[in-house]
Amino acid sequence: MRPFLACLTATCLAASLVPAAAGAASADIAHSKVVSDNPVNNTPHVLDGTVRAVAVVGDLVVVGGNFEEVREAGSGKPTLKRKNLFAYDMRTGKISTTFVPKVDGVVHALQAGTGGWVYVAGTFKNVNGVKTGTVASIRTTTNQVHTKFKPNVDYRVTTMVRRGLRLYIGGSFTKAGGQARTALARLDALTGAADKDFDFSITKPRSGTLKVYRLAVDPADKRMVINGTFTRVNGKTRHQIAMIELGEGPAKLSSWATDRYSTPCNLSSFDTYMRGMDFSPDGKYFVVVTTGGPYGTSQLCDSAARWEADRTGPGQEPTWVNWTGGDTLLSTAVTGAAVYVGGHQRWLDNPKGRDSAGPGAVSRPGIGAINPKTGKALPWNPTRTLGHGVETLVAHPKGLLVGSDTDQLGHEYHGRIGMFPME
């Protein structure tokens, strides 16, 4: 994990009420090998709804989504009421009785702070009776809302990544941090103010509402990719995906562009068929997964694709593509040792499949791992019940966390949250 940034003011960021802003996201975590296919036994169970987001804050695993009841692992444990957000100790599986926030909407995204803070985003407007808008910061050790963090986001946030003192958010909002910001913004992670050096025109949705569905930022905070319903960014054609150059000074739209996501897939069902994205731990490449239907290899529907991050210019092509043959992929986590993918897919290595197992297809129900170099499925095959799919995959030094809407993972009962450990 990257060290916490040096003190920036006389207050030195050490005040107990300030949510510090450092730590690792999924893209920072490198594994030397593939995780075990046997989930740990002590993760608690979410008994209804869907787990949509996970973040690790110290020893606490913070879990968000749309649900109302949870229970610790083991027989005879009581059912606890936790609406859309709760936390448990990664070491013991014990559900926190201190962190019991009341959020009045769905949690779509989580990012860790230091000092016990966590950033929460979604469709809610109030936390613990405090008007927050759809992005808030809560201290896990006290359940306290950070009232001086005022992003004032006016509508849904579906994706969020923090890098140092920068908090990137995407969704279908029109205002953030006191400024007009449509679908994409960068906020000060301490105050919530919009960054004047980050302002992009996201326009012309291919279908439905204009939104940024997912964003990914490399570990060095030099480059990001966004996806969503848009077809233009800053007046330039960008079909559902765009790259942005970060670093010092004003952020700029990269010349990187591809037409491979310009094809329709299943337009009648999806305003965008883009889904999860993640950078490799070294920042050299990123992986994009999609839904969309079995449209063949000329299109990137229902696929995982690797893209090199240092390329520029139009007409970019993926390094490799792995097709499911007609089943949705929703999430991905890249660890260097593997590209983990989750959804409700039945197969990988299935370019010829049409809702069937074509030549060379391998069974990977609901979750799988891909070789980062070759793009072929790795032997890892723990399985899970399909449902809608795996909404979030989060890499951690101790393993891989999985959030979904079903309760069978690795041939065991794990209600909507589970973890595959490093052996």
Side-chain angles (χ1 to χ4, degrees), residues 132-356:
T132 60
T134 56
V135 180
S137 179
I138 312 171
R139 200 170 194 185
T140 59
T141 55
T142 64
N143 206 44
Q144 178 185 8
V145 177
H146 179 51
T147 55
K148 292 185 178 180
F149 175 70
K150 297 179 178 180
N152 297 322
V153 183
D154 67 342
Y155 200 57
R156 178 177 304 177
V157 174
T158 57
T159 182
M160 176 171 57
V161 171
R162 185 176 51 77
R163 289 286 181 254
L165 294 177
R166 295 168 165 179
L167 186 68
Y168 298 90
I169 60 171
S172 47
F173 50 85
T174 59
K175 294 181 181 179
Q179 302 294 326
R181 292 289 189 270
T182 299
L184 182 67
R186 184 168 72 190
L187 307 176
D188 185 298
L190 298 180
T191 67
D195 191 332
K196 63 180 178 59
D197 286 334
F198 189 94
D199 188 5
F200 290 87
S201 172
I202 312 293
T203 59
K204 292 194 174 181
R206 64 191 289 274
S207 177
T209 302
L210 184 67
K211 67 181 175 184
V212 168
Y213 185 73
R214 288 288 181 267
L215 62 84
V217 183
D218 71 1
D221 197 16
K222 298 296 185 183
R223 186 176 287 120
M224 73 182 297
V225 285
I226 61 173
N227 72 39
T229 61
F230 57 85
T231 60
R232 296 182 74 81
V233 178
N234 286 2
K236 304 291 185 181
T237 298
R238 295 292 187 270
H239 293 288
Q240 300 191 93
I241 189 168
M243 182 182 290
I244 294 171
E245 300 295 337
L246 303 172
E248 300 300 324
K252 299 177 181 179
L253 179 67
S254 170
S255 64
W256 185 97
T258 182
D259 293 328
R260 293 301 301 274
Y261 298 110
S262 63
T263 50
C265 288
N266 194 338
L267 184 61
S268 63
S269 297
F270 307 109
D271 54 4
T272 177
Y273 54 84
M274 310 299 283
R275 292 298 183 260
M277 301 190 297
D278 195 22
F279 272 94
S280 62
D282 59 12
K284 292 183 178 180
Y285 65 92
F286 59 95
V287 174
V288 181
V289 299
T290 62
T291 184
Y295 277 73
T297 57
S298 63
Q299 298 168 295
L300 298 185
C301 318
D302 289 334
S303 70
R306 169 176 167 160
W307 302 85
E308 304 308 310
D310 62 352
R311 307 288 170 81
T312 56
Q316 294 299 317
E317 293 289 333
T319 304
W320 52 252
V321 182
N322 194 307
W323 280 274
T324 68
D327 291 334
T328 294
L329 294 175
L330 293 172
S331 56
T332 184
V334 183
T335 66
V339 174
Y340 298 100
V341 294
H344 58 250
Q345 80 279 8
R346 290 164 285 180
W347 308 280
L348 292 175
D349 295 354
N350 195 22
K352 302 296 185 181
R354 298 294 182 273
D355 278 327
S356 60

Side-chain angles (χ1 to χ4, degrees), residues 110-135:
L110 294 165
Q111 286 285 285
T114 56
W117 292 91
V118 65
Y119 295 93
V120 185
T123 61
F124 56 85
K125 296 181 179 179
N126 301 276
V127 179
N128 294 344
V130 177
K131 186 177 181 180
T132 60
T134 56
V135 180

